[in-house]
Amino acid sequence: MGVAIAVVVILLVLILIVVGSAVRILREYERGVIFRLGRLIAQKGPGLILLIPFIDRMVRVDLRTVTLNIPPQEVITRDNVPASVTAVTYFRVIDPNKAIVEVENFLLATSQIAQTTLRSVLGKAELDQLLSERERLNEDLQTIIDEQTEPWGVKVTTVEIKDVEIPDQMQRAMARQAEAERERRAKIINSEGEYQAAQKLADAADIISTNPATLQLRYLQTLLEMGVNQNTTIVFPLPMDVISPFVDMARDAAGGAPRKPPPPSPPPPPDPDVEGDLPPSRT
């Protein structure tokens, strides 16, 4: 009796092992690549999968987008500037069969392709392009990496350059360059402002010259602006044609008596060629 119970228990354990090896459950984002006696037969999932025990083997493949951080890469730009660049790659498996059959480890292979492509592409760009044209470089990296991983059933959706580190001396040189550029722009803006102000003053002078009363009104407006701050000193400008008579009177008073008329000039001598005007001759 005891032997029978032991045999039954052993059979139950074997049945559980067989059922456990024959039944698989795949999630919605998973697919199963089935190999039967080493040969690819099908791709199954998601849900309940039944396998032939000890004959079929299943490899799970995740179809979700994978975030792959590219480690820092030492790059020499085209203008011979050393830089350390880090990036991130987003990809996903679109063909599980190729991802398992065509490449040994698609994660490692995609990482190595991304690193080598990053050094190759950024080495052809100058430092200014590396800092200012990241969108174009990202598109170039994504296109090149995707072309190389397409035979593996891997789709690279995005490649982004995260950080670019350059030497401290180059950072100081770039700071001096930016400062000089700002000073140049400031000088140009200042000179343009002076030119526009001079042009407006010339236009205003042309308008005022057509009517002298305009200048007098401008004097009065200036006095009004000076009186706003409650100044005790008032400067009143006067035109020269108004005060010139008073200046002449002061000059005459300082010189004494009024000026005498100049003496008349002597009459011209008689012409000897005219007859009757000759003096009488003596004998």
Side-chain angles (χ1 to χ4, degrees):
M1 186 66 181
V3 177
I5 295 175
V7 172
V8 172
V9 172
I10 293 174
L11 290 177
L12 290 176
V13 172
L14 292 176
I15 292 173
L16 291 176
I17 293 175
V18 171
V19 172
S21 61
V23 177
R24 294 289 187 272
I25 298 177
L26 298 179
R27 298 181 180 89
E28 181 66 29
Y29 54 83
E30 291 179 337
R31 296 296 183 271
V33 179
I34 310 300
F35 292 90
R36 179 166 297 170
L37 297 177
R39 185 175 181 179
L40 178 64
I41 60 170
Q43 169 189 329
K44 296 183 179 180
L48 181 63
I49 305 299
L50 297 178
L51 304 175
I52 300 176
F54 309 110
I55 296 178
D56 293 344
R57 186 176 67 89
M58 185 187 72
V59 180
R60 294 175 182 264
V61 179
D62 197 332
L63 300 184
R64 292 177 295 181
T65 300
V66 179
T67 302
L68 177 63
N69 289 320
I70 302 176
Q73 301 296 313
E74 298 296 331
V75 178
I76 302 297
T77 60
R78 191 170 63 180
D79 50 354
N80 298 325
V81 177
S84 178
V85 183
T86 58
V88 60
T89 304
Y90 298 91
F91 68 92
R92 61 186 180 89
V93 177
I94 58 176
D95 192 340
N97 293 339
K98 290 183 179 181
I100 299 301
V101 175
E102 299 295 335
V103 64
E104 179 181 3
N105 187 339
F106 65 89
L107 288 174
L108 180 61
T110 304
S111 176
Q112 294 299 321
I113 286 294
Q115 295 178 29
T116 56
T117 305
L118 182 66
R119 290 194 297 266
S120 176
V121 172
L122 299 186
K124 299 178 182 178
E126 297 182 354
L127 180 61
D128 293 339
Q129 296 176 349
L130 183 59
L131 297 176
S132 60
E133 300 180 5
R134 288 194 179 185
E135 293 183 0
R136 182 182 63 82
L137 294 176
N138 292 335
E139 293 178 358
D140 294 342
L141 289 170
Q142 186 269 333
T143 302
I144 296 173
I145 298 174
D146 184 52
E147 290 178 355
Q148 297 179 354
T149 59
E150 184 179 2
W152 307 337
V154 176
K155 174 63 178 178
V156 178
T157 57
T158 307
V159 178
E160 291 289 341
I161 299 175
K162 294 173 59 177
D163 190 15
V164 178
E165 296 181 1
I166 58 178
D168 296 337
Q169 296 180 356
M170 183 58 64
Q171 293 181 9
R172 290 192 293 268
M174 293 174 63
R176 291 194 299 268
Q177 180 183 2
E179 184 179 357
E181 180 66 19
R182 293 294 180 180
E183 291 180 357
R184 183 184 67 85
R185 293 181 183 179
K187 291 180 180 179
I188 292 176
I189 294 174
N190 189 17
S191 61
E192 289 180 354
E194 293 292 339
Y195 173 75
Q196 294 177 2
Q199 189 175 10
K200 293 299 181 181
L201 288 175
D203 296 340
D206 293 339
I207 297 174
I208 291 176
S209 62
T210 58
N211 191 356
T214 306
L215 184 60
Q216 187 68 20
L217 293 176
R218 182 58 182 168
Y219 288 156
L220 296 177
Q221 184 179 2
T222 304
L223 291 176
L224 181 61
E225 294 176 355
M226 294 175 59
V228 173
N229 297 327
Q230 299 179 358
N231 294 329
T232 58
T233 303
I234 297 177
V235 179
F236 188 77
L238 291 176
M240 292 301 297
D241 56 353
V242 176
I243 63 176
S244 58
F246 299 98
V247 174
D248 295 337
M249 292 175 61
R251 185 185 299 110
D252 294 339
R259 298 178 182 178
K260 295 181 180 180
S265 58
D271 190 357
D273 296 333
V274 180
E275 185 179 0
D277 294 337
L278 296 177
S281 59
R282 296 180 182 180
T283 56

